[in-house]
Amino acid sequence: VHSIIACVGRVVPPPDGVPPLTNQALFVRDGNTCLYCGQHYRDGDLTRDHVVPGSRGGRDQWDNVVAACRRCNHLKGNRLLEECGFELLALPYAPNFAEYLALINSGRILGDQMDFLRRSFSANSRLHRRH
């Protein structure tokens, strides 16, 4: 039996094409790494940081948020990167729906299922290298 099958009515991409932003998916997207200091952390030790803070007009969306350790998030505060001397180790991006499925099902996807999903990943996806 093939591990990839078609189904009707179960998994529907969001109408606008942008998957919901959750900390779980964000942390997996960023490899459980603080994108400021480069250290690896457990989910409970990471926070969602807005590259452009909300107080500066930044939005709570995929291309403006990164995983950050509590220390770096606190040090950055509501400042812009150039104001605090921080640099991003990778650019934030919005995953497409195939990438999102891989993010939220991390560790539960079989190899051939991941190969199937990878065909739809965007060029800037870190998931190309992860599994």
Side-chain angles (χ1 to χ4, degrees):
V1 176
H2 293 285
S3 63
I4 306 296
I5 60 171
C7 59
V8 177
R10 288 248 17 223
V11 179
V12 180
D16 63 0
V18 180
L21 174 59
T22 65
N23 282 353
Q24 174 196 10
L26 172 66
F27 299 160
V28 174
R29 182 200 73 178
D30 292 350
N32 277 79
T33 301
C34 173
L35 290 191
Y36 297 123
C37 70
Q39 297 297 311
H40 188 266
Y41 292 92
R42 296 174 303 153
D43 285 0
D45 296 322
L46 286 170
T47 61
R48 179 189 307 188
D49 184 65
H50 295 81
V51 179
V52 176
S55 64
R56 302 286 193 91
R59 305 189 79 153
D60 192 35
Q61 56 193 32
W62 284 102
D63 59 358
N64 186 49
V65 294
V66 296
C69 68
R70 295 179 189 284
R71 179 181 176 276
C72 286
N73 195 338
H74 178 75
L75 288 172
K76 180 177 171 287
N78 71 339
R79 297 180 292 171
L80 299 174
L81 297 176
E82 56 272 9
E83 294 172 346
C84 61
F86 278 21
E87 290 185 22
L88 285 172
L89 299 176
L91 294 176
Y93 68 94
N96 64 35
F97 196 66
E99 292 164 336
Y100 180 73
L101 290 175
L103 291 173
I104 64 172
N105 291 294
S106 180
R108 296 186 296 171
I109 297 177
L110 301 175
D112 53 346
Q113 293 170 331
M114 183 58 81
D115 291 341
F116 176 82
L117 288 173
R118 268 198 196 106
R119 292 183 212 140
S120 299
F121 289 0
S122 63
N124 55 354
S125 172
R126 290 174 199 67
L127 293 171
H128 282 292
R129 299 171 253 146
R130 295 183 47 102
H131 298 284

